[in-house]
Amino acid sequence: MANRPVLHAVENGICFVDTVNALKNSFSTGKTRSLDWRRGQLENLKRMLIENEHDILKALKADLGKCETEAYTSECGYLLSDIEHTLKHLNKWTKPRRVSTPIVAWPGKSFQQPEPLGTVLIIGAWNYPLQLLLAPYVAALAAGNCAVLKPSELSPATSSLVARLIPQYMDTTTVTVVEGAKDEATALLACHWDHIFYTGGEVVGKIVMAAAARHLTPVTLELGGKSPCIVDKHTNLKVTARRLVWGKWMNSGQTCIAPDYVLVEKGQENQLIDAIKKELKSQYGKDPLASRDFGNIVNTRHLQRLKEYLEGAPVVYGGQIDEARPAMSPTIVLNPSVDSKVMQEEIFGPILPIVTVASLDDAIEFINQRPKPLALYAFSDDDSVLEKIIAQTSSGSVCTNDTMMFMTNPELPFGGVGNSGMGNYHGRAGFDTFSHLKTVMKRAFALDAPFRYAPYSKLKLSLLKKLL
Ligand code: NAD
């Protein structure tokens, strides 16, 4: 099947034309369409993760100070179960999806036939550097595509490990890892892809979309933003605090779906802060910076950004800094100004603002006045409160009485809405993102009723009116 070659794509003196054309040629041979080939590649990827677990955990420790449990559950383990789920459902996902056929088209069959898009670009982010690069790749592979994987330069240990391992385990005629930063990403974006899947911030998301527009290439943008959390006055405070601490301070708060800030009714804030402090001590000890379970900030530039959020802010807990690691202890600020940077920008770090509101309606209004978040959390004993929040707000995902747990369900598509992104993946949603669901209608020669053909007449028209 012909796949148009890339012609002009030199940016900053870097050119990936040969790389992309080689993958396009490989796709044209049809080898990635074979289900056996896809299964074999998914098995290879699984083997890569299992056989190199030690090196992977070491790289994640070097890049982000991730402890073994977090690194395993949110990266290796996550990917392994993603691959298992994909292998289990691949047959079903690739089958034609039958729909009914209207009487006018009888006898006939109608269905959607998934087909691979071709050669795709996957650009990963640094905070879950393995998962965010390979989970889209699992989906792209399952759907039968060739791919270029571009890991984030801000997690260099994981980037170089992936660049070393992928060629050892995978069919290198169908996948290439391109390491690098802005210049390499720009040169890649200049090429003509069949899909671009980008994970990262909003500013670069716009650059990716503009580059894709030049070739009318579809994009998936997995972005971020400020994910709010409402804590109702009627809630199980102990479990609420425990789950908030888990979701906020995992990976030192550098999670796109971490609760960014908490909204709580005035008068309830001290109780909530006390419960969170107690939980923090129980999970990370009296000195979290000495805890082996508490991660680093990715680099000193990001630590500096976070320190600026605390300048003049009403810090009620934490705020300790370790410049050398670099790291910041779990920090709570109470009622920072809504115009301050910490309330204007995505925090993406271990600072939790607690903002008091007059009522549940005010909390909902607060959220609705701001860009649509990637995730929204709500804690309450009262189901009608949770229902109201779900009905009256818009976000990529909602999780009630917990944080981030929706990520464990591969049946739930993951993605943003509005400024938090477009498109989604995980499980079948990922397979569909990297597939074209081709519309097919199969007709037979029998029953070739003449009423749809010219010359038209009043009788033919009245028959058509009845049938359509
Ligand atoms: P980052 O700096 O790692 O950048 C992401 C990718 O974009 C990298 O591969 C980088 O090389 C590339 N890039 C950088 N500049 C570029 C340019 N000018 N042109 C093309 N590509 C370029 O990550 P980041 O942007 O700091 O990531 C943090 C953001 O990502 C946060 O907003 C977070 O919420 C979001 N995020 C979203 C998800 C999600 O799944 N929705 C997951 C993780 C992070």
Side-chain angles (χ1 to χ4, degrees):
M1 200 163 296
N3 207 337
R4 274 171 297 167
V6 179
L7 297 177
H8 309 288
V10 184
E11 288 282 342
N12 311 308
I14 310 172
C15 179
F16 290 107
V17 168
D18 291 346
T19 308
V20 181
N21 283 345
L23 293 172
K24 290 191 173 207
N25 286 338
S26 186
F27 180 76
S28 301
T29 66
K31 71 150 84 165
T32 63
R33 290 174 182 261
S34 146
L35 277 197
D36 283 345
W37 181 88
R38 298 186 207 182
R39 283 185 185 288
Q41 292 298 299
L42 287 165
E43 291 289 355
N44 289 355
L45 196 62
K46 191 165 107 185
R47 213 158 44 77
M48 179 186 108
L49 295 168
I50 293 169
E51 290 177 1
N52 298 280
E53 187 185 307
H54 175 76
D55 285 357
I56 291 170
L57 298 186
K58 217 169 105 184
L60 293 167
K61 183 91 188 158
D63 284 333
L64 288 143
K66 285 198 195 204
C67 67
E68 191 178 331
T69 304
E70 274 187 21
Y72 185 83
T73 53
S74 65
E75 306 249 19
C76 294
Y78 179 89
L79 287 164
L80 286 171
S81 76
D82 188 29
I83 295 172
E84 279 309 328
H85 180 81
T86 303
L87 283 168
K88 189 168 158 204
H89 296 280
L90 191 59
N91 259 351
K92 199 165 89 197
W93 294 346
T94 50
K95 289 230 158 59
R97 301 176 192 179
R98 277 289 286 270
V99 294
S100 62
T101 301
I103 295 174
V104 276
W106 283 3
K109 281 184 192 154
S110 307
F111 53 90
Q112 283 190 298
Q113 176 68 60
E115 62 177 15
L117 292 173
T119 300
V120 302
L121 171 64
I122 297 172
I123 301 178
W126 52 263
N127 57 331
Y128 290 84
L130 192 75
Q131 188 221 113
L132 297 174
L133 188 73
L134 296 189
Y137 178 48
V138 169
L141 197 53
N145 296 281
C146 292
V148 163
L149 311 181
K150 159 58 189 84
S152 174
E153 71 281 12
L154 299 192
S155 41
T158 311
S159 173
S160 68
L161 182 64
V162 170
R164 176 167 68 77
L165 293 179
I166 288 282
Q168 281 175 27
Y169 286 83
M170 308 304 291
D171 176 345
T172 50
T173 63
T174 65
V175 62
T176 304
V177 179
V178 171
E179 285 193 273
K182 184 180 162 202
D183 286 353
E184 288 74 11
T186 307
L188 284 169
L189 285 171
C191 301
H192 187 169
W193 302 94
D194 296 299
H195 193 89
I196 300 175
F197 190 105
Y198 167 78
T199 303
E202 200 179 312
V203 174
V204 176
K206 287 177 185 165
I207 296 171
V208 170
M209 200 165 168
R214 290 205 294 266
H215 300 290
L216 281 184
T217 298
V219 291
T220 302
L221 301 179
E222 293 286 343
L223 310 178
K226 290 180 89 63
S227 294
C229 174
I230 300 177
V231 177
D232 183 37
K233 55 180 176 288
H234 303 294
T235 191
N236 179 332
L237 207 56
K238 188 173 162 48
V239 180
T240 298
R242 181 183 288 171
R243 293 177 178 179
L244 247 174
V245 167
W246 176 76
K248 176 69 192 185
W249 283 287
M250 177 188 289
N251 201 23
S252 222
Q254 300 163 115
T255 305
C256 56
I257 50 164
D260 188 277
Y261 62 93
V262 171
L263 297 170
V264 64
E265 235 174 81
K266 198 160 175 45
Q268 308 295 317
E269 64 273 24
N270 290 335
Q271 255 188 320
L272 177 65
I273 291 169
D274 287 346
I276 294 175
K277 282 188 200 167
K278 211 166 154 196
E279 256 317 308
L280 277 169
K281 278 185 192 127
S282 139
Q283 293 190 33
Y284 297 115
K286 275 198 184 125
D287 178 9
L289 291 182
S291 163
R292 63 197 162 101
D293 294 334
F294 192 70
N296 293 349
I297 302 302
V298 65
N299 57 33
T300 47
R301 182 171 61 83
H302 274 277
L303 181 65
Q304 189 52 38
R305 176 182 65 81
L306 292 162
K307 277 164 69 179
E308 280 167 24
Y309 290 158
L310 296 185
E311 281 165 19
V315 175
V316 294
Y317 187 74
Q320 287 82 24
I321 309 279
D322 180 340
E323 300 277 354
R325 264 174 76 175
M328 177 187 278
S329 69
T331 302
I332 302 173
V333 293
L334 179 59
N335 280 326
S337 153
V338 289
D339 299 323
S340 60
K341 267 190 173 179
V342 79
M343 285 309 294
Q344 290 289 322
E345 296 177 3
E346 179 182 359
I347 296 170
F348 221 53
I351 304 169
L352 181 67
I354 306 232
V355 178
T356 56
V357 286
S359 63
L360 176 62
D361 285 332
D362 277 6
I364 291 172
E365 200 188 324
F366 190 97
I367 291 166
N368 289 341
Q369 282 169 345
R370 288 165 173 75
K372 292 181 181 180
L374 184 58
L376 189 151
Y377 303 106
F379 287 88
S380 177
D381 277 338
D382 184 343
D383 216 40
S384 68
V385 166
L386 299 175
E387 285 302 326
K388 181 171 171 160
I389 294 167
I390 294 171
Q392 295 186 5
T393 59
S394 178
S395 55
S397 312
V398 181
C399 185
T400 65
N401 293 338
D402 212 328
T403 55
M404 311 207 297
M405 282 302 282
F406 61 92
M407 293 290 278
T408 60
N409 186 352
E411 304 287 341
L412 285 173
F414 172 65
V417 56
N419 286 40
S420 54
M422 61 185 70
N424 49 42
Y425 72 131
H426 290 182
R428 191 176 110 164
F431 176 89
D432 286 0
T433 285
F434 286 103
S435 299
H436 167 53
L437 299 179
K438 183 162 66 185
T439 286
V440 183
M441 181 182 271
K442 280 190 160 176
R443 295 272 286 126
F445 286 120
L447 294 183
D448 191 30
F451 51 79
R452 72 176 154 119
Y453 302 115
Y456 302 122
S457 67
K458 284 222 153 74
L459 178 66
K460 284 182 174 179
L461 182 59
S462 69
L463 267 168
L464 282 168
K465 280 183 175 173
K466 285 200 173 73
L467 287 171
L468 286 175

